[in-house]
Amino acid sequence: QVQLLESGGGLVQTGDSLKLSCVVTEGTDKTYQMAWFRQAPGKEREFLLAINWLSGAVYRVNSKKGRFAISRDRAKNTGYLQMDNLTPNDTAIYYCSVDSTANSGPYYFQWVDAYDSWGQGTQVTVSS
């Protein structure tokens, strides 16, 4: 069982930057890949970025998320989501997730069902 603890959300203004953290508090040895998703009110959960925990390989769906960057520090058991030039459209609950069974990999990394552990979510609100 992988346990995740997120932090770093808050209220910011348009154009600001924010860095979210996701600490793997239990099950670090089971962490194959970490991903960040977000969910805005009334919308489906949206994939942002994923990173292979061992190799550091990064997976993204398209270039629209060029303002976001994912990283991890294995020594600290922590993954990060750096978000720059935020706009009100980025307002959502942000979730980190972990795939502990290698379901995601380089082909299914954007699928919600590929990840079996989820953080509690952290609210990001961007004011205009």
Side-chain angles (χ1 to χ4, degrees), residues 94-121:
Y94 285 71
Y95 298 92
C96 68
S97 59
V98 160
D99 168 18
S100 64
T101 59
N103 284 329
S104 55
Y107 301 110
Y108 307 111
F109 54 87
Q110 75 274 30
W111 289 12
V112 171
D113 292 342
Y115 299 88
D116 47 271
S117 297
W118 292 82
Q120 80 283 3

mmCIF file with all atom_site columns, all heavy atoms in Angstrom, residues 94-121:
data_model
loop_
_atom_site.group_PDB
_atom_site.id
_atom_site.type_symbol
_atom_site.label_atom_id
_atom_site.label_alt_id
_atom_site.label_comp_id
_atom_site.label_asym_id
_atom_site.label_entity_id
_atom_site.label_seq_id
_atom_site.pdbx_PDB_ins_code
_atom_site.Cartn_x
_atom_site.Cartn_y
_atom_site.Cartn_z
_atom_site.occupancy
_atom_site.B_iso_or_equiv
_atom_site.pdbx_formal_charge
_atom_site.auth_seq_id
_atom_site.auth_comp_id
_atom_site.auth_asym_id
_atom_site.auth_atom_id
_atom_site.pdbx_PDB_model_num
ATOM 1   N N   . TYR A 1 94  ? -5.925  19.478 -7.258  1.00 0.00 ? 94  TYR A N   1
ATOM 2   C CA  . TYR A 1 94  ? -4.803  18.782 -7.866  1.00 0.00 ? 94  TYR A CA  1
ATOM 3   C C   . TYR A 1 94  ? -4.471  17.532 -7.043  1.00 0.00 ? 94  TYR A C   1
ATOM 4   O O   . TYR A 1 94  ? -4.361  17.604 -5.807  1.00 0.00 ? 94  TYR A O   1
ATOM 5   C CB  . TYR A 1 94  ? -3.594  19.703 -7.952  1.00 0.00 ? 94  TYR A CB  1
ATOM 6   C CG  . TYR A 1 94  ? -3.735  20.727 -9.054  1.00 0.00 ? 94  TYR A CG  1
ATOM 7   C CD1 . TYR A 1 94  ? -4.649  21.773 -8.945  1.00 0.00 ? 94  TYR A CD1 1
ATOM 8   C CD2 . TYR A 1 94  ? -2.979  20.640 -10.223 1.00 0.00 ? 94  TYR A CD2 1
ATOM 9   C CE1 . TYR A 1 94  ? -4.809  22.699 -9.966  1.00 0.00 ? 94  TYR A CE1 1
ATOM 10  C CE2 . TYR A 1 94  ? -3.128  21.567 -11.239 1.00 0.00 ? 94  TYR A CE2 1
ATOM 11  C CZ  . TYR A 1 94  ? -4.041  22.592 -11.109 1.00 0.00 ? 94  TYR A CZ  1
ATOM 12  O OH  . TYR A 1 94  ? -4.195  23.509 -12.117 1.00 0.00 ? 94  TYR A OH  1
ATOM 13  N N   . TYR A 1 95  ? -4.339  16.415 -7.737  1.00 0.00 ? 95  TYR A N   1
ATOM 14  C CA  . TYR A 1 95  ? -4.078  15.127 -7.108  1.00 0.00 ? 95  TYR A CA  1
ATOM 15  C C   . TYR A 1 95  ? -2.775  14.536 -7.620  1.00 0.00 ? 95  TYR A C   1
ATOM 16  O O   . TYR A 1 95  ? -2.500  14.554 -8.811  1.00 0.00 ? 95  TYR A O   1
ATOM 17  C CB  . TYR A 1 95  ? -5.188  14.129 -7.433  1.00 0.00 ? 95  TYR A CB  1
ATOM 18  C CG  . TYR A 1 95  ? -6.561  14.507 -6.952  1.00 0.00 ? 95  TYR A CG  1
ATOM 19  C CD1 . TYR A 1 95  ? -7.430  15.224 -7.764  1.00 0.00 ? 95  TYR A CD1 1
ATOM 20  C CD2 . TYR A 1 95  ? -7.003  14.123 -5.691  1.00 0.00 ? 95  TYR A CD2 1
ATOM 21  C CE1 . TYR A 1 95  ? -8.708  15.570 -7.334  1.00 0.00 ? 95  TYR A CE1 1
ATOM 22  C CE2 . TYR A 1 95  ? -8.284  14.458 -5.246  1.00 0.00 ? 95  TYR A CE2 1
ATOM 23  C CZ  . TYR A 1 95  ? -9.117  15.183 -6.072  1.00 0.00 ? 95  TYR A CZ  1
ATOM 24  O OH  . TYR A 1 95  ? -10.376 15.504 -5.639  1.00 0.00 ? 95  TYR A OH  1
ATOM 25  N N   . CYS A 1 96  ? -1.991  13.996 -6.715  1.00 0.00 ? 96  CYS A N   1
ATOM 26  C CA  . CYS A 1 96  ? -0.888  13.146 -7.140  1.00 0.00 ? 96  CYS A CA  1
ATOM 27  C C   . CYS A 1 96  ? -1.335  11.692 -7.007  1.00 0.00 ? 96  CYS A C   1
ATOM 28  O O   . CYS A 1 96  ? -2.219  11.374 -6.203  1.00 0.00 ? 96  CYS A O   1
ATOM 29  C CB  . CYS A 1 96  ? 0.378   13.401 -6.336  1.00 0.00 ? 96  CYS A CB  1
ATOM 30  S SG  . CYS A 1 96  ? 0.306   12.919 -4.605  1.00 0.00 ? 96  CYS A SG  1
ATOM 31  N N   . SER A 1 97  ? -0.747  10.848 -7.804  1.00 0.00 ? 97  SER A N   1
ATOM 32  C CA  . SER A 1 97  ? -1.125  9.451  -7.814  1.00 0.00 ? 97  SER A CA  1
ATOM 33  C C   . SER A 1 97  ? 0.105   8.603  -8.106  1.00 0.00 ? 97  SER A C   1
ATOM 34  O O   . SER A 1 97  ? 1.081   9.084  -8.685  1.00 0.00 ? 97  SER A O   1
ATOM 35  C CB  . SER A 1 97  ? -2.193  9.194  -8.875  1.00 0.00 ? 97  SER A CB  1
ATOM 36  O OG  . SER A 1 97  ? -1.708  9.562  -10.152 1.00 0.00 ? 97  SER A OG  1
ATOM 37  N N   . VAL A 1 98  ? 0.013   7.361  -7.696  1.00 0.00 ? 98  VAL A N   1
ATOM 38  C CA  . VAL A 1 98  ? 1.132   6.433  -7.899  1.00 0.00 ? 98  VAL A CA  1
ATOM 39  C C   . VAL A 1 98  ? 0.629   5.131  -8.522  1.00 0.00 ? 98  VAL A C   1
ATOM 40  O O   . VAL A 1 98  ? -0.415  4.606  -8.122  1.00 0.00 ? 98  VAL A O   1
ATOM 41  C CB  . VAL A 1 98  ? 1.856   6.151  -6.569  1.00 0.00 ? 98  VAL A CB  1
ATOM 42  C CG1 . VAL A 1 98  ? 2.670   4.859  -6.629  1.00 0.00 ? 98  VAL A CG1 1
ATOM 43  C CG2 . VAL A 1 98  ? 2.776   7.310  -6.205  1.00 0.00 ? 98  VAL A CG2 1
ATOM 44  N N   . ASP A 1 99  ? 1.383   4.664  -9.466  1.00 0.00 ? 99  ASP A N   1
ATOM 45  C CA  . ASP A 1 99  ? 1.182   3.346  -10.037 1.00 0.00 ? 99  ASP A CA  1
ATOM 46  C C   . ASP A 1 99  ? 2.204   2.417  -9.389  1.00 0.00 ? 99  ASP A C   1
ATOM 47  O O   . ASP A 1 99  ? 3.410   2.614  -9.576  1.00 0.00 ? 99  ASP A O   1
ATOM 48  C CB  . ASP A 1 99  ? 1.369   3.422  -11.545 1.00 0.00 ? 99  ASP A CB  1
ATOM 49  C CG  . ASP A 1 99  ? 1.454   2.054  -12.200 1.00 0.00 ? 99  ASP A CG  1
ATOM 50  O OD1 . ASP A 1 99  ? 1.036   1.052  -11.583 1.00 0.00 ? 99  ASP A OD1 1
ATOM 51  O OD2 . ASP A 1 99  ? 1.961   1.981  -13.335 1.00 0.00 ? 99  ASP A OD2 1
ATOM 52  N N   . SER A 1 100 ? 1.727   1.424  -8.656  1.00 0.00 ? 100 SER A N   1
ATOM 53  C CA  . SER A 1 100 ? 2.642   0.510  -7.968  1.00 0.00 ? 100 SER A CA  1
ATOM 54  C C   . SER A 1 100 ? 2.726   -0.844 -8.660  1.00 0.00 ? 100 SER A C   1
ATOM 55  O O   . SER A 1 100 ? 3.425   -1.743 -8.175  1.00 0.00 ? 100 SER A O   1
ATOM 56  C CB  . SER A 1 100 ? 2.195   0.312  -6.518  1.00 0.00 ? 100 SER A CB  1
ATOM 57  O OG  . SER A 1 100 ? 0.927   -0.316 -6.473  1.00 0.00 ? 100 SER A OG  1
ATOM 58  N N   . THR A 1 101 ? 2.013   -0.999 -9.797  1.00 0.00 ? 101 THR A N   1
ATOM 59  C CA  . THR A 1 101 ? 1.987   -2.291 -10.476 1.00 0.00 ? 101 THR A CA  1
ATOM 60  C C   . THR A 1 101 ? 2.432   -2.204 -11.923 1.00 0.00 ? 101 THR A C   1
ATOM 61  O O   . THR A 1 101 ? 2.241   -3.150 -12.681 1.00 0.00 ? 101 THR A O   1
ATOM 62  C CB  . THR A 1 101 ? 0.566   -2.876 -10.425 1.00 0.00 ? 101 THR A CB  1
ATOM 63  O OG1 . THR A 1 101 ? -0.336  -1.963 -11.051 1.00 0.00 ? 101 THR A OG1 1
ATOM 64  C CG2 . THR A 1 101 ? 0.130   -3.118 -8.991  1.00 0.00 ? 101 THR A CG2 1
ATOM 65  N N   . ALA A 1 102 ? 3.039   -1.105 -12.306 1.00 0.00 ? 102 ALA A N   1
ATOM 66  C CA  . ALA A 1 102 ? 3.553   -0.906 -13.667 1.00 0.00 ? 102 ALA A CA  1
ATOM 67  C C   . ALA A 1 102 ? 2.467   -0.974 -14.726 1.00 0.00 ? 102 ALA A C   1
ATOM 68  O O   . ALA A 1 102 ? 2.718   -1.407 -15.852 1.00 0.00 ? 102 ALA A O   1
ATOM 69  C CB  . ALA A 1 102 ? 4.671   -1.912 -13.975 1.00 0.00 ? 102 ALA A CB  1
ATOM 70  N N   . ASN A 1 103 ? 1.251   -0.570 -14.367 1.00 0.00 ? 103 ASN A N   1
ATOM 71  C CA  . ASN A 1 103 ? 0.171   -0.525 -15.354 1.00 0.00 ? 103 ASN A CA  1
ATOM 72  C C   . ASN A 1 103 ? 0.313   0.645  -16.314 1.00 0.00 ? 103 ASN A C   1
ATOM 73  O O   . ASN A 1 103 ? -0.177  0.611  -17.438 1.00 0.00 ? 103 ASN A O   1
ATOM 74  C CB  . ASN A 1 103 ? -1.181  -0.430 -14.650 1.00 0.00 ? 103 ASN A CB  1
ATOM 75  C CG  . ASN A 1 103 ? -1.614  -1.745 -14.057 1.00 0.00 ? 103 ASN A CG  1
ATOM 76  O OD1 . ASN A 1 103 ? -1.291  -2.808 -14.579 1.00 0.00 ? 103 ASN A OD1 1
ATOM 77  N ND2 . ASN A 1 103 ? -2.333  -1.694 -12.962 1.00 0.00 ? 103 ASN A ND2 1
ATOM 78  N N   . SER A 1 104 ? 0.943   1.723  -15.858 1.00 0.00 ? 104 SER A N   1
ATOM 79  C CA  . SER A 1 104 ? 0.971   2.955  -16.649 1.00 0.00 ? 104 SER A CA  1
ATOM 80  C C   . SER A 1 104 ? 2.057   2.898  -17.713 1.00 0.00 ? 104 SER A C   1
ATOM 81  O O   . SER A 1 104 ? 1.779   2.792  -18.896 1.00 0.00 ? 104 SER A O   1
ATOM 82  C CB  . SER A 1 104 ? 1.141   4.150  -15.724 1.00 0.00 ? 104 SER A CB  1
ATOM 83  O OG  . SER A 1 104 ? 2.295   3.985  -14.918 1.00 0.00 ? 104 SER A OG  1
ATOM 84  N N   . GLY A 1 105 ? 3.323   2.984  -17.288 1.00 0.00 ? 105 GLY A N   1
ATOM 85  C CA  . GLY A 1 105 ? 4.417   2.897  -18.243 1.00 0.00 ? 105 GLY A CA  1
ATOM 86  C C   . GLY A 1 105 ? 4.369   3.993  -19.291 1.00 0.00 ? 105 GLY A C   1
ATOM 87  O O   . GLY A 1 105 ? 3.782   5.053  -19.071 1.00 0.00 ? 105 GLY A O   1
ATOM 88  N N   . PRO A 1 106 ? 4.976   3.757  -20.440 1.00 0.00 ? 106 PRO A N   1
ATOM 89  C CA  . PRO A 1 106 ? 5.035   4.784  -21.484 1.00 0.00 ? 106 PRO A CA  1
ATOM 90  C C   . PRO A 1 106 ? 3.807   4.839  -22.380 1.00 0.00 ? 106 PRO A C   1
ATOM 91  O O   . PRO A 1 106 ? 3.725   5.682  -23.260 1.00 0.00 ? 106 PRO A O   1
ATOM 92  C CB  . PRO A 1 106 ? 6.270   4.373  -22.286 1.00 0.00 ? 106 PRO A CB  1
ATOM 93  C CG  . PRO A 1 106 ? 6.326   2.889  -22.126 1.00 0.00 ? 106 PRO A CG  1
ATOM 94  C CD  . PRO A 1 106 ? 5.803   2.585  -20.738 1.00 0.00 ? 106 PRO A CD  1
ATOM 95  N N   . TYR A 1 107 ? 2.833   3.930  -22.181 1.00 0.00 ? 107 TYR A N   1
ATOM 96  C CA  . TYR A 1 107 ? 1.696   3.894  -23.096 1.00 0.00 ? 107 TYR A CA  1
ATOM 97  C C   . TYR A 1 107 ? 0.375   4.286  -22.450 1.00 0.00 ? 107 TYR A C   1
ATOM 98  O O   . TYR A 1 107 ? -0.503  4.832  -23.092 1.00 0.00 ? 107 TYR A O   1
ATOM 99  C CB  . TYR A 1 107 ? 1.558   2.489  -23.687 1.00 0.00 ? 107 TYR A CB  1
ATOM 100 C CG  . TYR A 1 107 ? 2.793   2.044  -24.431 1.00 0.00 ? 107 TYR A CG  1
ATOM 101 C CD1 . TYR A 1 107 ? 3.616   1.042  -23.930 1.00 0.00 ? 107 TYR A CD1 1
ATOM 102 C CD2 . TYR A 1 107 ? 3.150   2.644  -25.632 1.00 0.00 ? 107 TYR A CD2 1
ATOM 103 C CE1 . TYR A 1 107 ? 4.759   0.650  -24.611 1.00 0.00 ? 107 TYR A CE1 1
ATOM 104 C CE2 . TYR A 1 107 ? 4.290   2.255  -26.321 1.00 0.00 ? 107 TYR A CE2 1
ATOM 105 C CZ  . TYR A 1 107 ? 5.087   1.261  -25.791 1.00 0.00 ? 107 TYR A CZ  1
ATOM 106 O OH  . TYR A 1 107 ? 6.216   0.875  -26.458 1.00 0.00 ? 107 TYR A OH  1
ATOM 107 N N   . TYR A 1 108 ? 0.208   3.980  -21.169 1.00 0.00 ? 108 TYR A N   1
ATOM 108 C CA  . TYR A 1 108 ? -1.080  4.226  -20.502 1.00 0.00 ? 108 TYR A CA  1
ATOM 109 C C   . TYR A 1 108 ? -0.953  5.225  -19.367 1.00 0.00 ? 108 TYR A C   1
ATOM 110 O O   . TYR A 1 108 ? -1.769  5.252  -18.463 1.00 0.00 ? 108 TYR A O   1
ATOM 111 C CB  . TYR A 1 108 ? -1.654  2.902  -19.974 1.00 0.00 ? 108 TYR A CB  1
ATOM 112 C CG  . TYR A 1 108 ? -1.734  1.846  -21.043 1.00 0.00 ? 108 TYR A CG  1
ATOM 113 C CD1 . TYR A 1 108 ? -0.903  0.726  -21.005 1.00 0.00 ? 108 TYR A CD1 1
ATOM 114 C CD2 . TYR A 1 108 ? -2.624  1.972  -22.101 1.00 0.00 ? 108 TYR A CD2 1
ATOM 115 C CE1 . TYR A 1 108 ? -0.973  -0.243 -21.998 1.00 0.00 ? 108 TYR A CE1 1
ATOM 116 C CE2 . TYR A 1 108 ? -2.702  1.004  -23.091 1.00 0.00 ? 108 TYR A CE2 1
ATOM 117 C CZ  . TYR A 1 108 ? -1.866  -0.092 -23.035 1.00 0.00 ? 108 TYR A CZ  1
ATOM 118 O OH  . TYR A 1 108 ? -1.934  -1.042 -24.019 1.00 0.00 ? 108 TYR A OH  1
ATOM 119 N N   . PHE A 1 109 ? 0.064   6.052  -19.421 1.00 0.00 ? 109 PHE A N   1
ATOM 120 C CA  . PHE A 1 109 ? 0.384   6.933  -18.318 1.00 0.00 ? 109 PHE A CA  1
ATOM 121 C C   . PHE A 1 109 ? -0.700  7.983  -18.068 1.00 0.00 ? 109 PHE A C   1
ATOM 122 O O   . PHE A 1 109 ? -0.747  8.560  -16.997 1.00 0.00 ? 109 PHE A O   1
ATOM 123 C CB  . PHE A 1 109 ? 1.714   7.656  -18.564 1.00 0.00 ? 109 PHE A CB  1
ATOM 124 C CG  . PHE A 1 109 ? 1.770   8.385  -19.884 1.00 0.00 ? 109 PHE A CG  1
ATOM 125 C CD1 . PHE A 1 109 ? 1.302   9.689  -20.004 1.00 0.00 ? 109 PHE A CD1 1
ATOM 126 C CD2 . PHE A 1 109 ? 2.295   7.774  -20.999 1.00 0.00 ? 109 PHE A CD2 1
ATOM 127 C CE1 . PHE A 1 109 ? 1.358   10.358 -21.210 1.00 0.00 ? 109 PHE A CE1 1
ATOM 128 C CE2 . PHE A 1 109 ? 2.354   8.426  -22.220 1.00 0.00 ? 109 PHE A CE2 1
ATOM 129 C CZ  . PHE A 1 109 ? 1.885   9.730  -22.316 1.00 0.00 ? 109 PHE A CZ  1
ATOM 130 N N   . GLN A 1 110 ? -1.569  8.246  -19.056 1.00 0.00 ? 110 GLN A N   1
ATOM 131 C CA  . GLN A 1 110 ? -2.580  9.282  -18.884 1.00 0.00 ? 110 GLN A CA  1
ATOM 132 C C   . GLN A 1 110 ? -3.912  8.731  -18.376 1.00 0.00 ? 110 GLN A C   1
ATOM 133 O O   . GLN A 1 110 ? -4.853  9.478  -18.161 1.00 0.00 ? 110 GLN A O   1
ATOM 134 C CB  . GLN A 1 110 ? -2.821  10.032 -20.203 1.00 0.00 ? 110 GLN A CB  1
ATOM 135 C CG  . GLN A 1 110 ? -3.638  9.253  -21.233 1.00 0.00 ? 110 GLN A CG  1
ATOM 136 C CD  . GLN A 1 110 ? -2.772  8.345  -22.090 1.00 0.00 ? 110 GLN A CD  1
ATOM 137 O OE1 . GLN A 1 110 ? -1.747  7.852  -21.664 1.00 0.00 ? 110 GLN A OE1 1
ATOM 138 N NE2 . GLN A 1 110 ? -3.192  8.146  -23.318 1.00 0.00 ? 110 GLN A NE2 1
ATOM 139 N N   . TRP A 1 111 ? -3.975  7.410  -18.167 1.00 0.00 ? 111 TRP A N   1
ATOM 140 C CA  . TRP A 1 111 ? -5.217  6.787  -17.732 1.00 0.00 ? 111 TRP A CA  1
ATOM 141 C C   . TRP A 1 111 ? -5.363  6.859  -16.218 1.00 0.00 ? 111 TRP A C   1
ATOM 142 O O   . TRP A 1 111 ? -4.464  6.442  -15.472 1.00 0.00 ? 111 TRP A O   1
ATOM 143 C CB  . TRP A 1 111 ? -5.261  5.328  -18.163 1.00 0.00 ? 111 TRP A CB  1
ATOM 144 C CG  . TRP A 1 111 ? -5.434  5.142  -19.631 1.00 0.00 ? 111 TRP A CG  1
ATOM 145 C CD1 . TRP A 1 111 ? -5.333  6.080  -20.624 1.00 0.00 ? 111 TRP A CD1 1
ATOM 146 C CD2 . TRP A 1 111 ? -5.717  3.914  -20.293 1.00 0.00 ? 111 TRP A CD2 1
ATOM 147 N NE1 . TRP A 1 111 ? -5.543  5.501  -21.847 1.00 0.00 ? 111 TRP A NE1 1
ATOM 148 C CE2 . TRP A 1 111 ? -5.791  4.176  -21.687 1.00 0.00 ? 111 TRP A CE2 1
ATOM 149 C CE3 . TRP A 1 111 ? -5.934  2.608  -19.850 1.00 0.00 ? 111 TRP A CE3 1
ATOM 150 C CZ2 . TRP A 1 111 ? -6.058  3.191  -22.629 1.00 0.00 ? 111 TRP A CZ2 1
ATOM 151 C CZ3 . TRP A 1 111 ? -6.195  1.621  -20.794 1.00 0.00 ? 111 TRP A CZ3 1
ATOM 152 C CH2 . TRP A 1 111 ? -6.254  1.925  -22.153 1.00 0.00 ? 111 TRP A CH2 1
ATOM 153 N N   . VAL A 1 112 ? -6.509  7.316  -15.756 1.00 0.00 ? 112 VAL A N   1
ATOM 154 C CA  . VAL A 1 112 ? -6.781  7.374  -14.328 1.00 0.00 ? 112 VAL A CA  1
ATOM 155 C C   . VAL A 1 112 ? -6.684  5.978  -13.711 1.00 0.00 ? 112 VAL A C   1
ATOM 156 O O   . VAL A 1 112 ? -6.113  5.798  -12.628 1.00 0.00 ? 112 VAL A O   1
ATOM 157 C CB  . VAL A 1 112 ? -8.176  7.977  -14.066 1.00 0.00 ? 112 VAL A CB  1
ATOM 158 C CG1 . VAL A 1 112 ? -8.559  7.831  -12.598 1.00 0.00 ? 112 VAL A CG1 1
ATOM 159 C CG2 . VAL A 1 112 ? -8.225  9.439  -14.476 1.00 0.00 ? 112 VAL A CG2 1
ATOM 160 N N   . ASP A 1 113 ? -7.224  4.988  -14.380 1.00 0.00 ? 113 ASP A N   1
ATOM 161 C CA  . ASP A 1 113 ? -7.265  3.628  -13.844 1.00 0.00 ? 113 ASP A CA  1
ATOM 162 C C   . ASP A 1 113 ? -5.902  2.957  -13.763 1.00 0.00 ? 113 ASP A C   1
ATOM 163 O O   . ASP A 1 113 ? -5.777  1.884  -13.168 1.00 0.00 ? 113 ASP A O   1
ATOM 164 C CB  . ASP A 1 113 ? -8.213  2.772  -14.683 1.00 0.00 ? 113 ASP A CB  1
ATOM 165 C CG  . ASP A 1 113 ? -9.667  3.191  -14.527 1.00 0.00 ? 113 ASP A CG  1
ATOM 166 O OD1 . ASP A 1 113 ? -9.963  3.896  -13.536 1.00 0.00 ? 113 ASP A OD1 1
ATOM 167 O OD2 . ASP A 1 113 ? -10.483 2.826  -15.385 1.00 0.00 ? 113 ASP A OD2 1
ATOM 168 N N   . ALA A 1 114 ? -4.876  3.552  -14.373 1.00 0.00 ? 114 ALA A N   1
ATOM 169 C CA  . ALA A 1 114 ? -3.526  2.972  -14.299 1.00 0.00 ? 114 ALA A CA  1
ATOM 170 C C   . ALA A 1 114 ? -2.875  3.226  -12.951 1.00 0.00 ? 114 ALA A C   1
ATOM 171 O O   . ALA A 1 114 ? -1.852  2.626  -12.647 1.00 0.00 ? 114 ALA A O   1
ATOM 172 C CB  . ALA A 1 114 ? -2.659  3.531  -15.413 1.00 0.00 ? 114 ALA A CB  1
ATOM 173 N N   . TYR A 1 115 ? -3.465  4.091  -12.146 1.00 0.00 ? 115 TYR A N   1
ATOM 174 C CA  . TYR A 1 115 ? -2.875  4.481  -10.872 1.00 0.00 ? 115 TYR A CA  1
ATOM 175 C C   . TYR A 1 115 ? -3.728  3.947  -9.724  1.00 0.00 ? 115 TYR A C   1
ATOM 176 O O   . TYR A 1 115 ? -4.956  4.089  -9.726  1.00 0.00 ? 115 TYR A O   1
ATOM 177 C CB  . TYR A 1 115 ? -2.731  5.994  -10.805 1.00 0.00 ? 115 TYR A CB  1
ATOM 178 C CG  . TYR A 1 115 ? -1.823  6.498  -11.898 1.00 0.00 ? 115 TYR A CG  1
ATOM 179 C CD1 . TYR A 1 115 ? -2.319  6.822  -13.152 1.00 0.00 ? 115 TYR A CD1 1
ATOM 180 C CD2 . TYR A 1 115 ? -0.449  6.591  -11.695 1.00 0.00 ? 115 TYR A CD2 1
ATOM 181 C CE1 . TYR A 1 115 ? -1.480  7.229  -14.178 1.00 0.00 ? 115 TYR A CE1 1
ATOM 182 C CE2 . TYR A 1 115 ? 0.393   7.007  -12.715 1.00 0.00 ? 115 TYR A CE2 1
ATOM 183 C CZ  . TYR A 1 115 ? -0.119  7.324  -13.954 1.00 0.00 ? 115 TYR A CZ  1
ATOM 184 O OH  . TYR A 1 115 ? 0.707   7.714  -14.963 1.00 0.00 ? 115 TYR A OH  1
ATOM 185 N N   . ASP A 1 116 ? -3.077  3.318  -8.752  1.00 0.00 ? 116 ASP A N   1
ATOM 186 C CA  . ASP A 1 116 ? -3.828  2.636  -7.701  1.00 0.00 ? 116 ASP A CA  1
ATOM 187 C C   . ASP A 1 116 ? -3.782  3.347  -6.359  1.00 0.00 ? 116 ASP A C   1
ATOM 188 O O   . ASP A 1 116 ? -4.480  2.949  -5.431  1.00 0.00 ? 116 ASP A O   1
ATOM 189 C CB  . ASP A 1 116 ? -3.310  1.201  -7.539  1.00 0.00 ? 116 ASP A CB  1
ATOM 190 C CG  . ASP A 1 116 ? -1.805  1.161  -7.469  1.00 0.00 ? 116 ASP A CG  1
ATOM 191 O OD1 . ASP A 1 116 ? -1.172  1.059  -8.541  1.00 0.00 ? 116 ASP A OD1 1
ATOM 192 O OD2 . ASP A 1 116 ? -1.255  1.245  -6.363  1.00 0.00 ? 116 ASP A OD2 1
ATOM 193 N N   . SER A 1 117 ? -2.973  4.384  -6.248  1.00 0.00 ? 117 SER A N   1
ATOM 194 C CA  . SER A 1 117 ? -2.921  5.135  -4.984  1.00 0.00 ? 117 SER A CA  1
ATOM 195 C C   . SER A 1 117 ? -3.046  6.617  -5.300  1.00 0.00 ? 117 SER A C   1
ATOM 196 O O   . SER A 1 117 ? -2.431  7.097  -6.264  1.00 0.00 ? 117 SER A O   1
ATOM 197 C CB  . SER A 1 117 ? -1.608  4.876  -4.245  1.00 0.00 ? 117 SER A CB  1
ATOM 198 O OG  . SER A 1 117 ? -1.489  3.517  -3.892  1.00 0.00 ? 117 SER A OG  1
ATOM 199 N N   . TRP A 1 118 ? -3.807  7.301  -4.449  1.00 0.00 ? 118 TRP A N   1
ATOM 200 C CA  . TRP A 1 118 ? -4.078  8.720  -4.689  1.00 0.00 ? 118 TRP A CA  1
ATOM 201 C C   . TRP A 1 118 ? -3.908  9.530  -3.417  1.00 0.00 ? 118 TRP A C   1
ATOM 202 O O   . TRP A 1 118 ? -4.208  9.049  -2.310  1.00 0.00 ? 118 TRP A O   1
ATOM 203 C CB  . TRP A 1 118 ? -5.518  8.897  -5.197  1.00 0.00 ? 118 TRP A CB  1
ATOM 204 C CG  . TRP A 1 118 ? -5.725  8.324  -6.560  1.00 0.00 ? 118 TRP A CG  1
ATOM 205 C CD1 . TRP A 1 118 ? -5.972  7.014  -6.879  1.00 0.00 ? 118 TRP A CD1 1
ATOM 206 C CD2 . TRP A 1 118 ? -5.681  9.027  -7.792  1.00 0.00 ? 118 TRP A CD2 1
ATOM 207 N NE1 . TRP A 1 118 ? -6.086  6.872  -8.242  1.00 0.00 ? 118 TRP A NE1 1
ATOM 208 C CE2 . TRP A 1 118 ? -5.911  8.089  -8.825  1.00 0.00 ? 118 TRP A CE2 1
ATOM 209 C CE3 . TRP A 1 118 ? -5.480  10.366 -8.137  1.00 0.00 ? 118 TRP A CE3 1
ATOM 210 C CZ2 . TRP A 1 118 ? -5.933  8.453  -10.182 1.00 0.00 ? 118 TRP A CZ2 1
ATOM 211 C CZ3 . TRP A 1 118 ? -5.513  10.726 -9.476  1.00 0.00 ? 118 TRP A CZ3 1
ATOM 212 C CH2 . TRP A 1 118 ? -5.735  9.779  -10.480 1.00 0.00 ? 118 TRP A CH2 1
ATOM 213 N N   . GLY A 1 119 ? -3.424  10.758 -3.606  1.00 0.00 ? 119 GLY A N   1
ATOM 214 C CA  . GLY A 1 119 ? -3.381  11.681 -2.500  1.00 0.00 ? 119 GLY A CA  1
ATOM 215 C C   . GLY A 1 119 ? -4.759  12.246 -2.218  1.00 0.00 ? 119 GLY A C   1
ATOM 216 O O   . GLY A 1 119 ? -5.709  11.985 -2.953  1.00 0.00 ? 119 GLY A O   1
ATOM 217 N N   . GLN A 1 120 ? -4.840  13.031 -1.161  1.00 0.00 ? 120 GLN A N   1
ATOM 218 C CA  . GLN A 1 120 ? -6.128  13.587 -0.752  1.00 0.00 ? 120 GLN A CA  1
ATOM 219 C C   . GLN A 1 120 ? -6.552  14.769 -1.612  1.00 0.00 ? 120 GLN A C   1
ATOM 220 O O   . GLN A 1 120 ? -7.715  15.176 -1.569  1.00 0.00 ? 120 GLN A O   1
ATOM 221 C CB  . GLN A 1 120 ? -6.054  14.028 0.733   1.00 0.00 ? 120 GLN A CB  1
ATOM 222 C CG  . GLN A 1 120 ? -5.384  15.365 0.983   1.00 0.00 ? 120 GLN A CG  1
ATOM 223 C CD  . GLN A 1 120 ? -3.867  15.327 0.893   1.00 0.00 ? 120 GLN A CD  1
ATOM 224 O OE1 . GLN A 1 120 ? -3.264  14.304 0.584   1.00 0.00 ? 120 GLN A OE1 1
ATOM 225 N NE2 . GLN A 1 120 ? -3.252  16.468 1.180   1.00 0.00 ? 120 GLN A NE2 1
ATOM 226 N N   . GLY A 1 121 ? -5.636  15.288 -2.405  1.00 0.00 ? 121 GLY A N   1
ATOM 227 C CA  . GLY A 1 121 ? -5.937  16.445 -3.242  1.00 0.00 ? 121 GLY A CA  1
ATOM 228 C C   . GLY A 1 121 ? -5.607  17.744 -2.530  1.00 0.00 ? 121 GLY A C   1
ATOM 229 O O   . GLY A 1 121 ? -5.717  17.854 -1.307  1.00 0.00 ? 121 GLY A O   1
#
